[in-house]
Every structure is written in C-alpha cells, then in structure tokens.
Amino acid sequence: MGKELILMGPPGAGKGTQAKRMVSALGVPQISTGDILRAAVKAQTPLGVKAKGFMDRGELVPDEVIIGVVEERLRAEDACGGFLLDGFPRTIAQAEALGDCLKRNGRSILRVVNLEVPDRDVVERIAGRRICKKCGAEYHVKFFPPKKAGVCDKCGGETYQRDDDREAVVQKRLSVYHAQTQPLLDYYKGRGLLRSVSGIGSLEEVGRRINEAIA
Ligand code: AP5
C-alpha cells in the first residue's frame, strides 16, 4: 500500500508549513493546490487566468477546474508511491472525484489528518504571514520572524504579504471553509480515515502529533 495522505484544516492551520517539513521523511511529494494555483496566476496560464478572481475574493476555484488539475498531477511519476495533499479536497465533489480517481488505479487514501486551529488563531497567523518574493520561504512577523524585518534569512530577498491574506479576504476564506470544507471531516470520519490533532503549539509539537496520527 502507498502513502496516500491528506492534510486538512482551516486556512492558516499550518498545512503547508507542516507538509514541507514532512515530505522528505515520508518520501512522497507535497501536492498543494494553493501553490499550484498561485504559480499558474503568476505565469498567467489559462488556469491562472480562470483562478485569479476566485482566489482574490477568497472563494473556491470551481470543482471542474481544480479536479482535472489534481488528477493530472497524481499521474506524475513522483506520486506513484504516494503523496501528501495539502488544500485538496475542499468539497464533497472533490473528495468523491479523488476517491474515484484512486480507485481506478487500484489505490486508496491511507489517512486524513485534520489540524484543529480556532478561528481567532487563524486570523492572527494569516495576518502575520510573510513570504520571500525570491525563494518562497515563509515567515510570520510574530511567531517566526526573519532576523531582519522584511528581508529573507535564506536569500536576502524582500518579503511580502499574499493578496488573499488581507483581513476581509481571510474572513471570507474562513466562512467558505466552514460552509464547504468542514463537512468533509464527517465524510472522512464516516470512512474511518480521519484523525484530528491540535494545530496549536510549536512546529515540532504539531509535527509529532501528525506523525503519530499517520503511524
Ligand atoms: P491555499 O493556499 O490552500 O490556502 P489555505 O488553505 O487558506 O491555506 P494557507 O496557505 O493560508 O494556510 P496553511 O494551512 O497552509 O498554513 P501555513 O502553513 O501557510 O488556497 C488559496 C486559495 O486557492 C483558496 O482560497 C482558493 O481560492 C484556491 N484553492 C486552493 N485549493 C483549492 C481547492 N482544492 N478547490 C478550490 N479552490 C482552491 O501557515 C500560516 C501561517 O501560520 C504562516 O505564517 C506560518 O508561519 C504560521 N504557522 C504555521 N504553523 C504555526 C504554529 N504551529 N504556530 C504559530 N504559527 C504557525
């Protein structure tokens, strides 16, 4: 059996941060639909042009757009032995499409780990997030600040705030999460695949909880 894993949780729960820390030990790729879409927006590809407005408003990109993107990514050679999905699925339709796609290839989901973080922490985490323009390294102005404000420790690049990390958009992303993505927790719980862990604490503490949930 491969390592077909899903990391879930509200916006800003730490999915991307933890996924990046986990993939080398797991030996599977991180597949982040948010990262795929942001790269497409930056490159102004047809996918990026379609996705941009939805992302800027904090809404979900339509299922029919994102499902095909993920199915194609899962066919890549590096995902044959498993993957760590971060930010997908986000709707029941996406979860069903993922299940069907894996089933067609004799595969199935091994575990879904949900990071629990209250809304007030989400807002603080997202509002303080900064990203390096050059190398993509992520910081937080309070929790993980770079040594010099606004300058990346790794490459000296300038850090910036994501357009959709502005407060009004964060509130929208949270309400979309509660309405459209949270129902997936029951969906996976009913299938015996869900493990919920607290996403509060140091990166090491949260990482340990995730590893225990996967083991
Ligand atoms: P996406 O990029 O997936 O956004 P998200 O789910 O809102 O996730 P974030 O990247 O904001 O948060 P995260 O949980 O990864 O947290 P992070 O580790 O960065 O999606 C963006 C948009 O794309 C969506 O709104 C939608 O439009 C579209 N989209 C994407 N996927 C889609 C799909 N499947 N269907 C339709 N549309 C889709 O951490 C956040 C901050 O907290 C950082 O600053 C970090 O340093 C800090 N932090 C992390 N861990 C801790 C900790 N333990 N303690 C304190 N601070 C911490």
Side-chain angles (χ1 to χ4, degrees):
M1 190 192 263
K3 292 178 196 153
E4 280 81 9
L5 302 165
I6 299 175
L7 209 46
M8 285 190 64
K15 304 181 292 294
T17 303
Q18 292 294 339
K20 285 185 184 73
R21 292 165 54 88
M22 292 164 66
V23 284
S24 61
L26 286 169
V28 298
Q30 173 199 12
I31 300 180
S32 158
T33 42
D35 288 349
I36 292 172
L37 290 168
R38 277 185 290 281
V41 169
K42 196 171 172 195
Q44 297 182 341
T45 65
L47 170 65
V49 171
K50 264 187 224 156
K52 188 175 184 324
F54 295 100
M55 295 174 79
D56 285 349
R57 291 190 296 274
E59 294 168 7
L60 295 183
V61 172
D63 288 336
E64 60 273 21
V65 174
I66 196 72
I67 287 171
V69 171
V70 173
E71 288 187 346
E72 194 187 325
R73 179 64 186 87
L74 293 184
R75 280 195 290 272
E77 210 181 317
D78 67 341
C80 284
F83 48 75
L84 180 56
L85 273 171
D86 144 24
F88 185 96
R90 267 173 142 99
T91 63
I92 300 283
Q94 292 179 17
E96 291 191 330
L98 174 65
D100 290 347
C101 169
L102 293 175
K103 203 169 165 192
R104 281 197 298 275
N105 295 292
R107 304 169 73 179
S108 58
I109 294 161
L110 179 66
R111 183 75 71 229
V112 179
V113 181
N114 173 45
L115 287 180
E116 293 178 325
V117 177
D119 287 4
R120 60 173 185 281
D121 295 277
V122 161
V123 175
E124 185 180 23
R125 284 187 184 187
I126 294 184
R129 173 172 35 205
R130 298 292 182 274
I131 303 163
C132 174
K133 271 185 187 165
K134 230 160 121 186
C135 74
E138 287 206 17
Y139 298 93
H140 190 281
V141 292
K142 179 171 163 194
F143 303 123
F144 315 110
K147 290 190 186 84
K148 189 174 171 206
V151 181
C152 177
D153 290 345
K154 293 183 183 151
C155 73
E158 190 190 339
T159 63
Y160 76 103
Q161 185 174 35
R162 255 167 60 175
D163 284 346
D164 63 345
D165 280 355
R166 285 171 290 114
E167 172 117 27
V169 186
V170 174
Q171 295 298 347
K172 175 69 183 176
R173 284 163 62 195
L174 261 175
S175 73
V176 167
Y177 168 78
H178 290 302
Q180 291 180 261
T181 306
Q182 215 169 6
L184 278 183
L185 301 181
D186 279 340
Y187 177 91
Y188 284 124
K189 195 173 175 186
R191 285 160 178 75
L193 294 170
L194 185 77
R195 300 285 181 280
S196 283
V197 302
S198 167
I200 299 293
S202 68
L203 297 188
E204 292 73 22
E205 282 165 344
V206 176
R208 219 171 10 252
R209 288 180 205 132
I210 297 173
N211 285 331
E212 283 166 12
I214 289 171

